[in-house]
Amino acid sequence: MTYREALNLALREEMRRDPRVFLIGEEIGLYDGAYKVTQGLLKEFGDRRVVDTPICESGFTGVAVGAAMLGLRPVVEMMTFNFAILALDQIVNSAAKLYYMSGGQYNVPMVIRGPGGPAHQLAAQHSQSMEVYFYHVPGLKVVRPSTPRDAKGLLKSAIRDDNPVIFIESETLYGIKGEVPDDPEFTIPLGQAEIRREGTDVTVFAYMGMMYRALEVAEELAKEGISCEVVDPRTLRPMDIGTMIGSVRKTHRVVVVEAGAGFAGMGSEIAAFVTESAFDDLDAPVERVTGANAPMPYAKNLEQAKTPSKEKIMAAIRRVCNA
Amino acid sequence: MAQARTIAPAAKVDAELARRLLSQMLLIRRFEERAAEMYALGKIGGFLHLYIGEEAVGVGATSTLRPDDYAISAYREHGHCLAKGADPRRMMAELFGRRDGLSKGKGGSMHLFDKSKNFLGGHAIVGAHLPLAAGAAFAIKYQGGDQVVLCYFGDGAVPQGEFHEAMNLAALWKLPVVYVCENNRYAMGTAIHRALAQTEIWRYAEMYGMAGDAVDGMDVLAVREVVGRAVERCRREQAPTLIEARTYRFRGHSMRDPSAAVYRTKEEVEREKERDPIRLFRARCLKDGTLTEAEVRTIEKEMNDLVDEAVTFADASPEPPLEWLTEDVYKE
Ligand SMILES: Cc1ncc(C[n+]2csc(CCOP(=O)(O)OP(=O)(O)O)c2C)c(N)n1
Ligand SMILES: [Mg+2]
């Protein structure tokens, strides 16, 4: 099953399971979704539960928050996450804060999902890693599912969660295939990292496209006798620090790979908590391989240079292993 | 400016209703006066926005609701929260930042919520709660209910994008929400004509194909009539309305703007105080014999006592325990 189909199935199952779940966003119904994730759902559930909106991210995200306050469980689609910044106020100041500000009276069970991260030649405004805008915020959970199986299991958990969950998919992964359990009760809990490949010399933290690149690198380095453990955090907040530190204690070396610009990125946070909780286990400084600190360019060669290449990841791994 | 709706002075008021409206307005007035005193004493911190002068809007509007209807407001919401039936003691405790506050002391003056009264809060980002109100109305419609949502906001929210997004969605989807703009003619120090190309706010309704009306917000009965009609239509046809209630705040924007003298004249303030909604309503009730002087004095005393009790309660309530700092961030 493709990643896209896995998401579609998760939505379908959760809508069948819980009448409070509804979808809201641009072009999700009649048009079947800009990326076809919601394909066929209007047909099955009707326009009461698959709500096409005009272009007003702040407005319809606010509507979802208000509906969630009254007990519905909205799943908001951002056509792409680049547009979620128009709703940033509703996400940060309303969704993330209401439970706390009301002293636990009003929780906001909602999911905001859609594609984010680097795409193909879409340039600066349509090709960015948006998770950084959200995982800083207490009150939000943030998920980045790398595989079709995770897409399904994590989306179902996100929909069942009683808090606002930011769920950022990837345009470049929608077509990938993988095993996906068809049991409607299959879920993956939020906050659990996954070891994608076991190894003993170095831990590589990576998710989404970078996770696949890290796996390719690991394969090649194995031929040189370097054994990489690739760990995918899957949920960026809350982060599974236990599993991640466990891996560091085993390998004593860390490389973080992330597609977004490195400044104050996910790698910074991982480097900080690894240093705080496992400093004595480290045999080398934590290395970050990140996207260039520049907007995404259009030109193919520049675009390629913007995100971490296999060569750069490999070089970083060799450096920490030789330190 | 178009004439805002007023009530024919001859119409006779029901005594029970008059007592209720006057009590609530006096309760709010007294609550706010005492809150100002407590702010001066340092018992209340942060921003404190008083509703003094605007009581007729919240009281008149809420008097048309059923208990299971919803209300939502901005940060000048003490009056709306009291009118919706919240306990003044727990409200004052919230202003004091104490553990018995409505929001356990974590919200403060700008973030009063009372789920037991369907009061959806206290929101301090100008314009942001207008889509939330539409969302609550969406949920009502989704669930097949017949409640309505009353959403209060200031004239300062009208130039904001979220006002227009919410109006459009409410009208497009025929949501059961009544938007009540409390036009007190200023957003902090910005007079309405410096903020809006169209200063007759009720006219924006036309643009979105919804019903719109303007009302004298100093006349509690007029507010009650105009909002009441909108609420009934809303319940019957699930059609939204935009109402502009013309009112005036007698105090500064917040306690940090005590004189309010830079952007408006003393004469203007004095002139507006002549139209004090409580004084007007009391005079009217006495004149037409709905209430007697003695009855009015009894009501005043009762409301003063309620607020005194609220202050005593708030002062006696302990500070929230430190463990609460990191609780209620996520629901387990
Ligand atoms: C989005 C946003 N911008 C600015 C502010 C700061 N601010 C707080 S209240 C206010 C004025 C709002 O006036 P109005 O809506 O007319 O309400 P009133 O205070 O008159 O009741 C401003 C500018 C804010 N809270 N939110
Ligand atoms: Mg104003």
Coordinates of all heavy atoms in Angstrom, one line a residue, chain B residues 154-156 182-188, ligand 2:
Chain B
G154 N -14.6 43.7 20.0 CA -14.6 45.1 20.0 C -14.5 45.7 18.5 O -14.3 44.9 17.6
D155 N -14.7 47.0 18.4 CA -14.5 47.6 17.1 C -13.1 47.4 16.6 O -12.9 47.4 15.4 CB -14.8 49.1 17.2 CG -14.1 49.7 18.4 OD1 -14.5 49.5 19.6 OD2 -13.1 50.4 18.2
G156 N -12.1 47.2 17.5 CA -10.8 47.0 17.1 C -10.5 45.7 16.3 O -9.5 45.5 15.6
E182 N -19.0 45.3 20.2 CA -19.2 46.4 21.2 C -18.4 47.5 20.7 O -17.2 47.6 20.9 CB -18.7 45.8 22.5 CG -19.5 44.6 23.0 CD -19.2 44.1 24.4 OE1 -18.0 43.9 24.6 OE2 -20.1 44.0 25.2
N183 N -19.0 48.4 20.0 CA -18.3 49.5 19.4 C -18.3 50.6 20.4 O -19.2 51.4 20.6 CB -19.1 50.0 18.1 CG -18.4 51.2 17.5 OD1 -17.3 51.7 18.0 ND2 -19.0 51.8 16.5
N184 N -17.1 50.7 21.1 CA -16.9 51.8 22.1 C -16.1 52.9 21.5 O -15.6 53.7 22.2 CB -16.4 51.2 23.4 CG -15.0 50.5 23.2 OD1 -14.4 50.7 22.2 ND2 -14.6 49.7 24.2
R185 N -15.9 52.8 20.2 CA -15.3 53.9 19.4 C -13.8 54.0 19.5 O -13.2 54.8 18.9 CB -16.0 55.3 19.7 CG -17.4 55.3 19.2 CD -18.3 56.3 19.6 NE -17.9 57.6 20.1 CZ -18.6 58.3 20.9 NH1 -19.8 57.9 21.2 NH2 -18.1 59.5 21.3
Y186 N -13.2 53.2 20.4 CA -11.8 53.2 20.5 C -11.2 51.8 20.6 O -11.8 50.9 21.2 CB -11.3 54.0 21.7 CG -11.6 55.4 21.6 CD1 -12.8 55.9 22.1 CD2 -10.8 56.3 21.0 CE1 -13.2 57.2 22.0 CE2 -11.1 57.7 20.9 CZ -12.3 58.1 21.4 OH -12.6 59.4 21.3
A187 N -10.1 51.6 19.9 CA -9.3 50.4 20.1 C -8.0 50.9 20.8 O -7.2 51.6 20.1 CB -9.0 49.7 18.8
M188 N -7.8 50.7 22.0 CA -6.8 51.4 22.8 C -7.0 52.9 22.5 O -8.0 53.5 22.8 CB -5.4 50.9 22.5 CG -5.2 49.5 23.0 SD -3.5 48.8 22.8 CE -2.6 49.8 23.9
Ligands
MG2 MG -13.2 49.3 21.2

